[in-house]
Amino acid sequence: MAIATNIIRQTERPDLYNEARELPGSHIICEALLREGVEFVWGYPGGAIMPFYDSITSYPSIHHVLVRHEQAASHAADGYARITGKVGVCTATSGPGATNLVTGLATAYMDSVPVVAITGQVGRPLLGRDAFQETDILGITLPVTKHSILVRSIEEIAPAIHEAFRIAQSGRPGPVVVDIPKDVQQQKGWYDPSRHESAYDYFRKEESRHEKPEATLIEQAAKLISQARKPLIMAGHGIILSNAYAELKAFAEKTGIPVIATLLGLSAFPDSHPLFLGMPGMHGPAHVNRAIGEADLIVGVGLRFDDRVTGKVDEFAPKAALIHIDIDPSEVSKVKVANVPLVADAKVALAALNEAVKPGDHASWLQEIRDWQAQDEGRAAALKRDETLPSPMGILHAINEVTEGKAIVVSDVGQHQMWTARFYPWSRANSQITSGGLGTMGFALPAAMGVKMGAPEAPVWVVAGDGGIQMNIQEMATLMQEGVEIKIAIMNNGYLGMVRQWQQFFHSRNYSETPITGPDYVKLAEAYGATGMRVTRGEDVTSAIKRAMETPGPVIVDFVIEAEACVYPMVAPGSPITTMIEEQAEENE
């Protein structure tokens, strides 16, 4: 299977002790992590993982981050992996510690993120006896991980950890669990590094090994591309995972094909590029969804054709042939049958296509789409709006302006996530970090911690709602303890906004359990030793963003936005994406 290209960016390891010696199992865990180039581990100690925590103090080059909840450990490892291309590592004890990791592991699994979770387990004599804090974490995580390993002897520790790193990074990335009983961690045994090849060394040695798509399939794809009159490129997360930015740009420019990007594909192609159109799907702009309806060819690269993208599958791109590129063969033709299936790494497949295709020009097709866009934007601009309160678009544009487009934006899940996806101008590659497949509220704050620790030179902004931010707000303490400087913009409308929007459209405005209260975020920030601000006027948004950037340490900015603001357009579940609910003037009167 092809190897994801981003893994060659692993951290250079410190000098390693390479002679065989007798060590406790807990030390062997740390030795294996050293050999994988691990620099950070996010976790929380407990009884069954305590031997590992006793040993890690002897390995100062591995920096452990004490989170305040294990879910935050898995999200932080996820964020670190997304921004660096390395494996994110988290740890927890048995029972509730391990089960608290599950939501973060499922998030990483759905979004193809390489994470290794090392969990403690009760001692081997107690397995299967419902011992204190015993849980079958392998059985629990089986559906939401690439692989789960129960280590049954000290001889299995190093091979299991190296195997976990190989599996997490190879092919389509994803999370792996290594469950290690406490008595195995305490047991002593001989450890000979020369007998265990790390994933770090394996991929360095094999970094150029990529399976190319079949030549006949490339020829078929090139023929379809040359015949198309209204083609579209759909770029997904696979572009980012395979570091195929240059190949995508070269392919689009050579063929002249307009580009659209899924939620997780945003920032894989510059928003400012004249060929870029926007995001498709449930909350995609009308001109993008209309273009899909009229297209005669879709070149899908590194995406799953998720239901939020396709809407009613039978009516998605009804006139189009499909070229589908994905490293995971199980995804190809799973939702839409591909005329040309290319099972390959996105970088490799696009490079092969770039050699095979002829230069193209689709200026008239692009202009047709731009005309639709101008009509929609003109109609939207004519609507009356209350500009007194901060607007989501104003907040996002201010973050971009003040950071000069250099920010990495980590969004939570809800209306603010869709506003961010739609209206933030993505100019920096891999600058959009969010939970796409699972849609995990509470993701953004701990994930941003991992992002900032992986990319310390970049300004990192969390964009969250007043619902999701409360789910892992305790990690403010971790940020302060670690000195991690991120800025947090809360779009505060007093509702679980996206659920409320669905209730407005589909449940006759029966706002059942969606109004939500929260703390005074200014006082809360101060209680953690951070800085808090509240913004209630649109005219103060930019100055608040500037103040936040100038203020050392974590900053929470509580933006009070319109209570019943909606994300437009919206496609009703199960409807064709060309049938959209669009903003009407009466919504603002």
Side-chain angles (χ1 to χ4, degrees), residues 37-56:
V38 172
E39 52 185 347
F40 296 111
V41 174
W42 289 268
Y44 204 94
I49 195 69
M50 201 175 298
F52 166 76
Y53 276 88
D54 185 58
S55 296
I56 199 171

Side-chain angles (χ1 to χ4, degrees), residues 122-382:
V122 299
R124 286 171 295 179
L126 298 175
L127 286 172
R129 298 187 178 185
D130 294 331
F132 177 68
Q133 292 192 335
E134 180 189 3
T135 302
D136 179 10
I137 196 61
L138 268 66
I140 290 171
T141 59
L142 181 64
V144 293
T145 55
K146 284 188 71 178
H147 190 50
S148 298
I149 304 168
L150 175 61
V151 175
R152 296 184 178 272
S153 69
I154 191 169
E155 292 80 14
E156 296 177 6
I157 291 177
I161 290 176
H162 297 316
E163 181 186 12
F165 275 75
R166 281 194 296 272
I167 292 172
Q169 297 171 91
S170 62
R172 177 180 178 175
V176 179
V177 170
V178 183
D179 196 37
I180 309 178
K182 184 173 183 177
D183 63 318
V184 176
Q185 298 175 54
Q186 294 171 318
Q187 186 181 6
K188 281 195 172 184
W190 282 93
Y191 173 63
D192 184 353
S194 66
R195 296 180 57 196
H196 308 293
E197 183 180 41
S198 69
Y200 178 95
D201 289 327
Y202 173 80
F203 286 124
R204 299 278 288 195
K205 181 177 66 179
E206 301 286 343
E207 64 188 43
S208 62
R209 190 188 74 184
H210 299 280
E211 293 182 7
K212 293 184 178 181
E214 294 180 21
T216 55
L217 291 176
I218 291 294
E219 290 174 6
Q220 291 174 27
K223 184 177 180 180
L224 279 179
I225 291 167
S226 68
Q227 294 172 344
R229 295 296 172 262
K230 294 186 175 184
L232 291 172
I233 297 168
M234 289 186 66
H237 197 201
I239 298 293
I240 293 170
L241 292 173
S242 64
N243 193 26
Y245 307 104
E247 288 78 8
L248 174 62
K249 186 170 181 285
F251 177 62
E253 291 177 347
K254 184 175 183 180
T255 60
I257 301 178
V259 178
I260 58 181
T262 66
L263 174 63
L264 291 179
L266 292 171
S267 75
F269 194 84
D271 273 28
S272 58
H273 196 286
L275 288 172
F276 186 72
L277 300 178
M279 180 182 75
M282 178 174 282
H283 293 290
H287 67 277
V288 172
N289 288 342
R290 186 174 176 183
I292 292 172
E294 293 297 321
D296 61 6
L297 175 67
I298 301 289
V299 183
V301 189
L303 74 160
R304 299 184 292 117
F305 290 100
D306 176 83
D307 61 291
R308 292 296 175 94
V309 168
T310 63
K312 188 177 181 181
V313 175
D314 292 345
E315 297 186 38
F316 176 80
K319 304 175 184 179
L322 174 61
I323 299 168
H324 190 178
I325 300 169
D326 202 286
I327 199 169
D328 185 351
S330 70
E331 291 296 344
V332 178
S333 295
K334 184 174 78 175
V335 177
K336 293 286 291 186
V337 176
N339 299 81
V340 181
L342 296 175
V343 179
D345 177 84
K347 190 180 186 75
V348 174
L350 286 173
L353 277 177
N354 281 333
E355 293 179 3
V357 297
K358 297 177 181 179
D361 183 356
H362 296 285
S364 60
W365 166 231
L366 180 60
Q367 187 57 53
E368 185 177 1
I369 301 170
R370 293 298 186 200
D371 289 343
W372 299 336
Q373 181 180 5
Q375 293 169 13
D376 293 334
E377 291 177 350
R379 182 188 55 79

Side-chain angles (χ1 to χ4, degrees), residues 17 115 390 462 488 519 530:
Y17 192 92
V115 170
V462 168
I488 303 154

